[in-house]
Amino acid sequence: MTHKPFTWILLLAGLLAIQATAQYNRPENRIWAMGNTIGLDFSSGAPVPFRSSLSNATEGSATVSDANGNLLFYTNGATVWNRIGNTMPRGINFTGAGGTFTISTTQGAVIVPIPDSAGKYYIFSLSSVSNCKLYCSKIDMSLDGGMGDIDTSFYLHKTRIDSNLTEKMIAVAGCNNNIWLLVHSDTGTLFKAYEITSAGINLNPVISYAGQYPAAYYRQGVMKISPDRQRLMTCNFRASGPTDAGLEVYDFNFSTGVVSNARLVDTFSYYGGTFSPDNSKLYAQTTAVMNEGTVFQFDLDDPLPISSKFLLGPSGQYADMRLGPDGKIYFGALAAGQGWSNYMYMGRINAPNNLGTACDFQDTVTALRLATTAGTVGALTQGLPNEVPVPSGSTDTLVYKTDTLICSDFAPFTVYAPAEAYGFTWQDGSNDSAYTITQRGTYRVVSLTPCPRIDSFIIRGADFPDTWHITVNGYVLGTSEAFDSYQWYRDGQRLDGATSREYTVTENGWHAVKVDIGPCSDSIAYYVNNVSIADPGNLAYNVRIYPNPANGIVHIAASIPVHTSISSLDGKVVLLHHGNVPIDISTLQPGIYMIRITDQHNALLKTEKLVKTAQ
């Protein structure tokens, strides 16, 4: 018999292994407009400089593309340009706070896709220096003939929604089709997380207190989220001196919006920075000497990151850093006499997951000279565009359903959840991370990872009789047991119309029947010739496998030469033998296997379960 194998690989490893989804390599983040009329386009895989219409973006800006990576619009927080570089009809001073009020804000602009609202986006704008003010505007891409424009009917249009903030602002995708807008108070170690859902913006933010510096130390410098969205960092910049601020890392719960567990990484003043793709390294840029910055790497796996501080090389004096869609980190590069702005090149870290010099730091990349067409040269000043968060598109819980087909004798087995999952509740009320499946049926588990979710899966299938075989009555072949359906074959060729339990033989050759029980199939073969057609003996009856169970040598007794294969229950062949020779199974793990016996023409003679016992 040939049984369809178990599909019982650790189910929960696939069902519960929620990894926080990185945003940096999504199509919506493939194009960056930044600085003064320049940008980078990653659509081809490698970054290509291009000319944009963006201006007055000394520091913060934001760019968004659609789900296919096609540019939609970009902004400095005060003016917005469409995909062909024209100012949107209502896109000048759209906050009402002034046409250049974000020009010197570290992170002055953030674009957020509105959940469940295709073609609709929020632009968050933040003023500069101290007592920064927060505004929100709405873009509707159906306006201006599909080029997009400001929706002046939006209830927050030209309305200040917060104040007394620092220049730090980012947006982070949450768990349940929501997004968090993170800002920092100018009056203390206080983070605010505004939740954005399909219903709008919750103007009562989640409040977190974390950090050890005076409020003023947080005013300038970037805030960034790690690709797994579970770590937050602040580069705290003070122009008055290199030791007047510090670099901090926090935990971030993207299920609740809470910031916690502040850790000091370094006591220097840092302006720009970002995380490595694997979340293990932190890169930050500080001003070391006049008109020049320096990039350092920190190993976050080190219990004391400050002790793993590694000098990489020079950068622009005040230069942000951003993880690109290609998994490399980019920053403004120093050129002689340029000082704090007008960086003509980009620097790059090519292998940011690697420690020390293995990260492949390049202070200037010649191919990334930020020159534009027609002899007009644009330049990067300090900032890079903020990352666009993309909502998950899920409902309150993520539901996955996996049908697992078992077409042989059922044996209990255990599924295990990955280490990052916690808070389990199974359908029977148990709370363990491991669960033993004892019978076919539907199973359901609620877990946190950290997002609440529900997983359900179905174990289905049917048992075949252990000893069913082909019966012989004259020239009529049949099956010893009844099944749901039948299909007969001769020498591997399907016999049209031969779909009954019995089949009358008309020619010599190998005759096989495929049978079904529900979704499960099985088959067996019998050789017919004019001499033995009336002989009720079946070659399979003359094949014996012993001992079974066994833990060492298994013998194959047969009247003809045979080939033997032993497979695990997932169908993988683990031993293959030719001839009627003893088989040593001592190296196999204890468990249940399938042993298959064929003749020299590869015709199936017998299949049965083989139990390998412990030594």
Side-chain angles (χ1 to χ4, degrees):
M1 267 190 313
T2 304
H3 289 299
K4 199 168 185 177
F6 280 112
T7 311
W8 65 335
I9 304 168
L10 301 183
L11 297 173
L12 290 189
L15 294 170
L16 290 177
I18 305 176
Q19 298 295 328
T21 305
Q23 305 283 299
Y24 68 90
N25 54 4
R26 293 187 60 96
E28 291 83 352
N29 284 298
R30 283 183 188 163
I31 299 176
W32 303 355
M34 54 197 183
N36 178 32
T37 69
I38 54 91
L40 290 180
D41 187 343
F42 291 83
S43 298
S44 65
V48 177
F50 73 96
R51 178 174 182 171
S52 73
S53 296
L54 185 70
S55 60
N56 292 325
T58 301
E59 298 187 69
S61 63
T63 311
V64 65
S65 298
D66 63 20
N68 295 315
N70 301 308
L71 179 63
L72 292 178
F73 62 91
Y74 46 90
T75 182
N76 60 6
T79 302
V80 59
W81 292 265
N82 62 26
R83 62 177 177 267
I84 61 174
N86 294 334
T87 306
M88 289 185 178
R90 299 178 183 87
I92 298 177
N93 190 20
F94 55 82
T95 65
T100 60
F101 82 114
T102 61
I103 189 171
S104 187
T105 311
T106 309
Q107 294 174 296
V110 167
I111 296 171
V112 172
I114 302 177
D116 296 330
S117 298
K120 307 292 195 306
Y121 298 83
Y122 292 134
I123 296 177
F124 290 93
S125 305
L126 190 64
S127 63
S128 60
V129 191
S130 61
N131 186 22
C132 297
K133 300 170 180 62
L134 179 65
Y135 296 81
C136 182
S137 307
K138 183 178 179 181
I139 293 287
D140 185 340
M141 291 304 300
S142 68
L143 300 177
D144 192 29
M147 300 299 290
D149 198 6
I150 298 291
D151 180 359
T152 57
S153 68
F154 177 48
Y155 72 103
L156 292 176
H157 181 57
K158 294 188 176 181
T159 300
R160 188 179 70 197
I161 62 177
D162 204 348
S163 58
N164 294 316
L165 302 174
T166 70
E167 297 183 15
K168 295 171 167 56
M169 178 173 64
I170 60 170
V172 183
C175 280
N176 301 316
N177 202 30
N178 66 331
I179 290 172
W180 300 102
L181 181 82
L182 284 172
V183 291
H184 194 283
S185 172
D186 191 37
T187 59
T189 58
L190 186 154
F191 290 88
K192 297 181 180 182
Y194 287 93
E195 186 176 19
I196 302 162
T197 68
S198 58
I201 304 166
N202 186 345
L203 297 180
N204 295 308
V206 174
I207 302 297
S208 302
Y209 291 89
Q212 66 178 48
Y213 283 105
Y217 284 39
Y218 295 94
R219 284 178 179 164
Q220 296 174 300
V222 303
M223 173 166 56
K224 294 291 178 70
I225 194 74
S226 60
D228 65 5
R229 294 178 283 158
Q230 298 186 64
R231 279 172 168 165
L232 185 72
M233 59 93 82
T234 59
C235 287
N236 305 316
F237 172 75
R238 298 266 287 170
S240 58
T243 60
D244 282 353
L247 181 65
E248 288 182 322
V249 173
Y250 319 79
D251 293 337
F252 180 67
N253 187 322
F254 59 89
S255 176
T256 63
V258 171
V259 179
S260 62
N261 191 24
R263 282 98 70 198
L264 181 65
V265 177
D266 198 7
T267 56
F268 266 65
S269 172
Y270 287 89
Y271 178 85
T274 193
F275 292 88
S276 62
D278 68 356
N279 314 290
S280 70
K281 309 295 185 300
L282 188 152
Y283 293 85
Q285 180 274 338
T286 185
T287 301
V289 297
M290 185 59 65
N291 294 340
E292 182 176 314
T294 304
V295 176
F296 290 93
Q297 180 197 72
F298 299 87
D299 183 6
L300 295 177
D301 291 332
D302 191 311
L304 293 172
I306 193 169
S307 67
S308 67
K309 181 178 179 180
F310 188 86
L311 172 63
L312 293 176
S315 68
Q317 184 179 359
Y318 310 133
D320 193 9
M321 309 182 75
R322 179 172 171 181
L323 187 55
D326 56 0
K328 302 175 183 180
I329 292 175
Y330 293 82
F331 58 91
L334 177 71
Q338 288 181 350
W340 57 271
S341 64
N342 298 319
Y343 307 140
M344 304 299 293
Y345 294 88
M346 297 290 287
R348 184 166 64 195
I349 300 171
N350 294 303
N353 290 337
N354 295 340
L355 194 62
T357 57
C359 74
D360 192 12
F361 175 88
Q362 291 180 272
D363 58 8
T364 301
V365 180
T366 303
L368 297 181
R369 185 177 190 274
L370 302 175
T372 56
T373 58
T376 302
V377 175
L380 180 64
T381 45
Q382 297 175 32
L384 295 173
N386 256 322
E387 194 172 88
V388 176
V390 181
S392 63
S394 67
T395 56
D396 288 341
T397 54
L398 300 177
V399 180
Y400 290 83
K401 185 174 289 186
T402 299
D403 287 353
T404 300
L405 189 64
I406 296 180
C407 295
S408 60
D409 292 343
F410 186 88
F413 62 95
T414 302
V415 291
Y416 302 88
E420 65 268 22
Y422 64 96
F424 304 99
T425 303
W426 289 85
Q427 77 285 339
D428 61 2
S430 65
N431 303 114
D432 293 335
S433 60
Y435 191 87
T436 299
I437 307 296
T438 59
Q439 60 184 353
R440 296 179 176 88
T442 299
Y443 294 83
R444 180 178 181 273
V445 60
V446 180
S447 66
L448 300 173
T449 56
C451 296
R453 65 177 279 150
I454 296 174
D455 291 299
S456 63
F457 53 96
I458 300 171
I459 307 297
R460 63 192 179 99
D463 286 340
F464 279 91
D466 286 336
T467 58
W468 80 276
H469 58 271
I470 290 179
T471 61
V472 180
N473 184 12
Y475 288 90
V476 178
L477 304 181
T479 62
S480 61
E481 307 288 341
F483 300 98
D484 294 343
S485 62
Y486 311 84
Q487 176 61 60
W488 290 87
Y489 297 80
R490 182 175 59 245
D491 294 332
Q493 299 299 310
R494 184 176 181 270
L495 298 171
D496 293 337
T499 57
S500 300
R501 181 174 176 178
E502 293 185 337
Y503 171 70
T504 301
V505 175
T506 59
E507 296 183 32
N508 293 335
W510 277 103
H511 288 70
V513 60
K514 174 181 172 292
V515 297
D516 300 303
I517 298 180
C520 300
S521 301
D522 201 358
S523 63
I524 199 169
Y526 181 82
Y527 188 76
V528 175
N529 59 50
N530 289 331
V531 175
S532 61
I533 186 65
D535 183 358
N538 189 322
L539 285 176
Y541 295 162
N542 297 320
V543 177
R544 190 160 63 93
I545 303 167
Y546 67 94
N548 189 8
N551 62 21
I553 299 297
V554 173
H555 298 274
I556 308 297
S559 59
I560 61 173
V562 295
H563 302 309
T564 304
S565 66
I566 299 177
S567 303
S568 57
L569 290 177
D570 61 3
K572 182 180 179 181
V573 175
V574 295
L575 284 175
L576 189 63
H577 278 259
H578 301 287
N580 305 37
V581 295
I583 302 172
D584 184 0
I585 65 169
S586 60
T587 60
L588 299 181
Q589 294 293 320
I592 299 174
Y593 296 85
M594 300 304 296
I595 186 166
R596 187 174 188 270
I597 311 296
T598 61
D599 69 7
Q600 291 180 312
H601 303 288
N602 205 33
L604 180 65
L605 299 177
K606 191 169 192 176
T607 300
E608 69 178 55
K609 288 181 295 184
L610 173 66
V611 178
K612 167 61 166 64
T613 61
Q615 296 290 344

